Amino acid sequence: MLKRTSILFCMAFLVQTIILAQTSDMVLIKGGRYIPLYGRDSSLVKVDHFYMDKLPVTNEQYVDFVKKFPEWKKSKARKLFVDATYLRNWKNDTTLNDSEKPKSPITYISWFAASKYCECQGKRLPTVDEWEYAAMADEELADARVKASYNQKILSWYEAPRTNTYEVGRNPENYWGVSDLHGLVWEWTSDFNSILITGESRKDVDKDSNLFCGSAAIGATDLMNYAAFMRYAFRGSITARYSIKNLGFRCVKDVPLP
């Protein structure tokens, strides 16, 4: 009986250690309800508690990933899951270009590759609602969308060139303790194209220059929040194989049931 108890204790300790290791670089986002900025009939959406990476996934982290999972190397990734620009800023399968910084956010990464990376960490990509819920916070408020300065700051970043080359951790932590949701790169979500902005959003699109159309504003609930309209328009303009120079990702993880 004592031996069995000892084994069970060791197993419980091991599980707890694994969970702690997986969430050591994450913060808890306490769930709630919010009104998303899409559709004229938008109503309160419930978001459960979840853990979110404090920072976007970096170049050096993705290099480690492809070394462990060589099927996602630049030369080996299946064309079904990546386009021709996948990891185009790398010299070869495991080496960045000299111009790239190890601690800059990984970009030129497809949705399939980002999803697999998160899965291999015991995590997943955030949903649109989880990402928007966490990203509506500034340093002081969980929902800073009522502040004109909040939207102006985000829009000024959208106009700034080459922010994807900056290192992660550049921007202050928000209310939840998350950094760089705004200010470095756009980020993949698990259901990125679940909100259809326009019927022809993927037609005749140049991926790196014309994905920021603001026509999404027409059907939104708050015409003051143009920054959010641009995000929804961007998501509605891409496909899962796309790899874009200013599109990266971070992971989230469900909170274990008590």
Side-chain angles (χ1 to χ4, degrees):
M1 181 67 179
L2 182 61
K3 183 178 180 180
R4 182 181 178 185
T5 302
S6 178
I7 292 173
L8 290 174
F9 175 80
C10 290
M11 290 178 64
F13 178 77
L14 179 61
V15 169
Q16 184 180 31
T17 300
I18 293 172
I19 292 174
L20 288 173
Q22 290 175 336
T23 58
S24 61
D25 57 348
M26 310 182 84
V27 293
L28 175 66
I29 310 294
K30 294 183 179 179
R33 297 180 183 274
Y34 87 115
I35 298 178
L37 295 169
Y38 53 80
R40 290 186 175 86
D41 299 322
S42 292
S43 56
L44 284 172
V45 170
K46 183 177 183 293
V47 176
D48 294 326
H49 301 331
F50 63 98
Y51 291 106
M52 175 175 264
D53 284 353
K54 296 177 183 177
L55 299 167
V57 175
T58 63
N59 284 323
E60 64 181 357
Q61 289 174 318
Y62 201 78
V63 168
D64 289 341
F65 168 72
V66 298
K67 287 179 178 178
K68 294 176 183 175
F69 300 93
E71 65 270 26
W72 288 99
K73 288 181 176 179
K74 185 177 181 178
S75 65
K76 294 185 178 180
R78 296 179 62 185
K79 301 310 177 185
L80 180 65
F81 301 132
V82 300
D83 67 5
T85 58
Y86 176 64
L87 302 181
R88 70 180 301 176
N89 55 341
W90 290 31
K91 281 184 180 179
N92 53 48
D93 281 342
T94 58
T95 308
L96 303 170
N97 283 344
D98 294 338
S99 60
E100 304 303 313
K101 300 174 183 176
K103 294 191 180 298
S104 290
I106 180 69
T107 57
Y108 289 113
I109 192 84
S110 73
W111 177 89
F112 292 107
S115 296
K116 180 56 66 173
Y117 176 96
C118 292
E119 179 185 326
C120 291
Q121 315 304 314
K123 304 176 184 179
R124 59 177 174 80
L125 287 174
T127 65
V128 168
D129 284 322
E130 287 171 336
W131 196 97
E132 290 290 331
Y133 180 83
M136 69 186 186
D138 66 2
E139 294 95 314
E140 300 172 345
L141 299 175
D143 186 355
R145 294 177 298 176
V146 295
K147 298 166 64 174
S149 59
Y150 164 84
N151 295 316
Q152 290 168 356
K153 187 176 181 180
I154 297 171
L155 286 171
S156 66
W157 162 55
Y158 290 171
E159 296 174 350
R162 294 185 57 80
T163 55
N164 58 294
T165 63
Y166 298 148
E167 294 187 348
V168 300
R170 173 184 175 87
N171 299 291
E173 293 182 352
N174 72 6
Y175 177 88
W176 303 110
V178 180
S179 294
D180 301 330
L181 285 166
H182 309 289
L184 288 188
V185 293
W186 306 75
E187 296 185 5
W188 282 111
T189 61
S190 60
D191 52 346
F192 67 95
N193 58 0
S194 62
I195 310 301
L196 297 179
I197 301 301
T198 66
E200 299 296 321
S201 61
R202 294 193 184 93
K203 185 178 180 181
D204 301 327
V205 170
D206 176 82
K207 292 186 294 180
D208 281 338
S209 60
N210 295 325
L211 287 176
F212 309 101
C213 172
S215 62
I218 294 172
T221 56
D222 182 357
L223 293 177
M224 295 298 292
N225 200 329
Y226 192 73
F229 303 142
M230 294 182 74
R231 290 195 295 275
Y232 287 114
F234 176 79
R235 293 171 182 139
S237 300
I238 57 181
T239 68
R241 290 179 65 248
Y242 278 11
S243 304
I244 303 171
K245 67 180 177 182
N246 51 4
L247 177 58
F249 72 100
R250 74 181 71 213
C251 308
V252 301
K253 186 177 176 64
D254 295 328
V255 174
L257 295 175

